[in-house]
Amino acid sequence: MLFAPLLAFCAVAPMILKPDITDGETITAPRTIKVRVQSDSLVTQVEFYVNDDLRDSATSTPYTFQLDPLAEKDGDEKLTFTAYNSDGVKASKSVNVHINSGAAKGAEANTQAAHDFLTQSKWDDAIYSARIALKATPDYVPAQLALARGFLGKGVYDKAQEFAEDALRNSPNNPEGLELLSVIELKRVFNVFAVSGGRDAVLNTTAEAIGKAIDSRRKVLDQQFDKLAMPSPGGELAYADTADRTQHYSAAISVLLAPFTNGGLKTACGDRLGYSQLRLGRLDDLMKTLALMKTAGTLDGYSYALWAVAAEYLSDTKTADDKIREAIEQAPNNIGVQTAQVYIALHRNNLPTMSGLANALAADQGQLPEVNFYLSVMDDRLNKHDDADTAYETTVLTEPLSFEMYVERGNEALQTIQTKAEKGEDRTYHEHVAEKMYAAARQAKPDSAEALTASAILQIIEDKLNDAGPMADAAVNAAPDYACAHYVAACYYSTLQAKLGASVDTIRQANRNGIDTETQAKIDTAKRQAADAGKKANTEIAAARKLDPKKLGGAEMPKVSEVFQYFYTSGGLPVITAPSVSQ
């Protein structure tokens, strides 16, 4: 009896665990569980079990554990927390909870919830809803794409790419997945500030990502277009809208011509026909379309905007002013009319007016690629190069097939060379920029007269005449009404003539002591080729003068620097928004 109190005094005090989760609680979202441990001795570890599976352990306060219902089976589960102290005492506390992740609603419903969150830029909520959908149906492609979009919104590009690639593994030709992956790759590139190897490595990486984005976008648009059936009477407008949206302008023209000419030259049909002709650089056909609409009395605000930009491009400023005034009076809020105003201001190098128009348009229509294209051009002209870069990136992200944006970027690089009189490495770098951008433009629109003309100019600058000739000829064939194509062709053939003439002089100089029959044949061939080149040069300069009499009417045979300056300031075909689908 004398030892009883002493034994009681020496007994080891029990540990008590108090998790902040109650028995019977329902878990519907990720839950952080905190556990308090009462112990007279040092607590060495606390463990967290779901049923009999160890999930986590902690060795220092606060003892916190994460319970994610998406990682557990739905239904009743037992959570156990076990603590150990330095005296070797072990104590546990268990609670029963009910897991309800929401997976029972199904993959489709949870993916729709994810999309709703995406539209509100609630990226984490979107990601979680998509994860619920994948718990309901593993490898559900729409949920994988929603996850990718959520991580893209957060700027977590590795995760975004991972889920986009997962979706494409399950659905290799999924249009949304293809486009999304290209956007992710572009975003990653545009957010690179330093790449091993310097600016050349950045340029190459960027060009590669743009090329992939162009391929993906083209594949998506071709899939959409290929699903179109030839329209029955009355369905031509819907067909043309899809053809234009997928950049199949020739197809739009082919289905619109008959209903336009035989159906009373209706406004909606004429506007779409004119827009498609403009996008292909078929300005003569466009002017004929507008003249027919005028005779029929079916011109509207958009029609007048088309007329205004075509007249402006052809340097008929009076007609351009008259027609854009009429367009504004009839449809001041039409996006096509507004982008036409921006083009006219740019073509006249009226930067203050362009700035006001473009910024106002951006405030309402900042998602349109043509609006961001004009913002990029404007900011570059105003030497706001960071803003120009942002607008350029937005243009490409919104529409990777914006070939005119790539042409403009290449032009800016060559203009930098001329403005700064660059030589050496800087000149080489900017020539490479132009080369990559012009190549992207040709990839985006292989029949673009602008892209082909730009490439021909660069190749003449680099003295690559064997490559320049086919490009110049292709530009002329792509758009016979395009003055700049003829102007660069004249430059190419006159340069070729001079080079062949110089080769004759070189041969003669090398054979001062006598010319044999074989050498004479070479001389005769070079002289004949030079004469042919001269004839073609004269034909092309005559065509350029006729197509743009105001600026080129008295032009002499141009040097390549003169061709580039004309192209840079006047060579860009008008870019305006397509007619409204509701029109």
Side-chain angles (χ1 to χ4, degrees):
M1 295 296 297
L2 292 175
F3 295 100
L6 180 59
L7 290 172
F9 178 79
C10 294
V12 178
M15 286 191 295
I16 300 175
L17 284 74
K18 295 183 177 180
D20 65 348
I21 186 169
T22 59
D23 201 60
E25 187 171 329
T26 296
I27 308 299
T28 60
R31 176 83 150 76
T32 299
I33 304 170
K34 295 180 181 180
V35 180
R36 290 191 299 114
V37 181
Q38 292 181 359
S39 173
D40 290 341
S41 300
L42 176 67
V43 175
T44 57
Q45 183 167 291
V46 178
E47 297 173 337
F48 169 48
Y49 294 80
V50 177
N51 295 322
D52 295 325
D53 296 328
L54 176 64
R55 288 285 191 269
D56 198 5
S57 63
T59 57
S60 60
T61 59
Y63 306 111
T64 58
F65 305 97
Q66 304 299 320
L67 178 63
D68 184 354
L70 294 182
E72 311 298 340
K73 295 183 297 183
D74 280 10
D76 295 329
E77 301 284 0
K78 183 175 73 172
L79 309 182
T80 301
F81 306 92
T82 300
Y84 303 86
N85 69 14
S86 57
D87 291 332
V89 175
K90 169 184 174 183
S92 296
K93 170 70 176 178
S94 295
V95 296
N96 294 307
V97 298
H98 183 75
I99 304 294
N100 181 8
S101 65
K105 295 179 182 178
E108 185 176 352
N110 282 295
T111 302
Q112 182 57 55
H115 287 158
D116 293 341
F117 286 127
L118 287 173
T119 61
Q120 303 170 54
S121 299
K122 295 181 177 179
W123 313 122
D124 288 328
D125 291 333
I127 289 168
Y128 193 74
S129 293
R131 288 181 61 213
I132 298 174
L134 288 176
K135 180 178 181 180
T137 304
D139 293 332
Y140 185 58
V141 170
Q144 290 172 324
L145 293 173
L147 261 177
R149 290 193 180 280
F151 281 114
L152 176 62
K154 290 187 69 174
V156 184
Y157 302 123
D158 289 343
K159 281 288 187 182
Q161 183 166 342
E162 174 188 337
F163 286 107
E165 289 174 346
D166 285 346
L168 287 172
R169 271 192 290 272
N170 293 319
S171 179
N173 293 316
N174 184 281
E176 183 184 353
L178 290 170
E179 286 194 292
L180 183 56
L181 185 59
S182 68
V183 168
I184 293 167
E185 290 175 340
L186 284 172
K187 278 278 194 180
R188 294 183 71 163
V189 169
F190 289 147
N191 280 275
V192 170
F193 295 101
V195 174
S196 176
R199 60 183 182 178
D200 290 320
V202 174
L203 173 61
N204 291 333
T205 303
T206 302
E208 182 179 353
I210 288 173
K212 290 180 180 178
I214 290 171
D215 284 343
S216 295
R217 179 63 170 161
R218 172 55 61 203
K219 187 174 183 179
V220 168
L221 294 185
D222 285 347
Q223 285 179 5
Q224 294 174 6
F225 178 76
D226 291 343
K227 292 178 181 178
L228 284 177
M230 288 303 294
S232 55
E236 294 89 356
L237 292 183
Y239 180 97
D241 283 337
T242 300
D244 281 341
R245 181 171 52 78
T246 58
Q247 300 190 6
H248 291 80
Y249 304 113
S250 295
I253 291 172
S254 67
V255 301
L256 290 172
L257 278 173
F260 176 69
T261 54
N262 301 328
L265 311 179
K266 292 181 181 179
T267 300
C269 190
D271 284 351
R272 283 160 175 75
L273 179 60
Y275 173 77
S276 300
Q277 291 165 335
L278 177 67
R279 292 299 284 164
L280 290 176
R282 293 165 57 172
L283 299 179
D284 188 55
D285 290 343
L286 169 59
M287 297 305 289
K288 290 176 181 177
T289 297
L290 295 169
L292 289 171
M293 293 177 72
K294 180 182 179 182
T295 300
T298 57
L299 294 169
D300 67 351
Y302 188 87
S303 315
Y304 280 112
L306 285 172
W307 201 329
V309 296
E312 176 64 28
Y313 178 77
L314 297 171
S315 301
D316 185 355
T317 55
K318 182 181 184 306
T319 298
D321 286 340
D322 291 342
K323 301 308 178 186
I324 198 64
R325 189 179 303 112
E326 186 71 31
I328 294 169
E329 287 179 1
Q330 291 201 25
N333 297 320
N334 183 282
I335 308 303
V337 172
Q338 293 173 338
T339 46
Q341 292 174 262
V342 177
Y343 167 76
I344 292 171
L346 171 62
H347 195 257
R348 297 178 183 181
N349 200 34
N350 187 345
L351 295 181
T353 298
M354 181 187 180
S355 180
L357 292 168
N359 286 321
L361 192 55
D364 295 328
Q365 301 291 336
Q367 79 284 2
L368 293 177
E370 56 267 30
V371 172
N372 284 288
F373 163 72
Y374 280 125
L375 287 174
S376 181
V377 176
M378 175 192 71
D379 288 331
D380 180 77
R381 301 294 194 275
L382 295 172
N383 293 316
K384 298 163 63 177
H385 299 300
D386 288 343
D387 291 339
D389 287 346
T390 299
Y392 153 70
E393 292 171 8
T394 303
T395 304
V396 175
L397 287 165
T398 305
E399 179 49 81
L401 298 184
S402 296
F403 68 93
E404 57 276 347
M405 186 74 263
Y406 303 126
V407 171
E408 171 63 23
R409 276 271 137 160
N411 288 351
E412 290 167 5
L414 292 188
Q415 181 68 1
T416 298
I417 292 173
Q418 295 211 1
T419 301
K420 297 183 177 180
E422 288 184 332
K423 296 181 180 179
E425 290 184 1
D426 286 341
R427 179 187 180 92
T428 299
Y429 170 73
H430 281 107
E431 285 182 351
H432 286 167
V433 171
E435 179 185 338
K436 297 290 187 183
M437 291 296 99
Y438 294 157
R442 296 197 310 275
Q443 183 184 354
K445 194 170 189 294
D447 61 347
S448 165
E450 290 174 78
L452 293 165
T453 297
S455 298
I457 291 172
L458 177 61
Q459 286 157 354
I460 295 172
I461 290 173
E462 295 179 334
D463 196 28
K464 298 177 181 178
L465 295 190
N466 288 338
D467 297 325
M471 287 291 181
D473 290 341
V476 169
N477 292 330
D481 303 334
Y482 184 48
C484 199
H486 294 280
Y487 200 38
V488 74
C491 178
Y492 161 70
Y493 282 111
S494 65
T495 303
L496 179 62
Q497 180 188 25
K499 192 165 188 175
L500 288 167
S503 72
V504 170
D505 292 339
T506 299
I507 294 172
R508 284 175 172 165
Q509 185 67 23
N511 295 272
R512 291 190 302 272
N513 297 326
I515 298 175
D516 58 25
T517 302
E518 183 178 351
T519 303
Q520 185 61 51
K522 290 181 180 179
I523 292 174
D524 292 342
T525 298
K527 289 174 66 176
R528 185 172 59 255
Q529 291 174 339
D532 290 343
K535 290 177 183 178
K536 290 181 179 179
N538 288 327
T539 299
E540 296 297 348
I541 192 64
R545 290 167 181 157
K546 182 179 179 180
L547 288 167
D548 190 354
K550 186 170 183 179
K551 293 182 178 178
L552 299 178
E556 300 293 333
M557 197 64 69
K559 298 177 181 178
V560 68
S561 59
E562 295 169 332
V563 174
F564 173 70
Q565 282 306 312
Y566 175 77
F567 181 60
Y568 181 65
T569 57
S570 304
L573 289 167
V575 176
I576 71 171
T577 304
S580 171
V581 174
S582 63
Q583 200 170 338

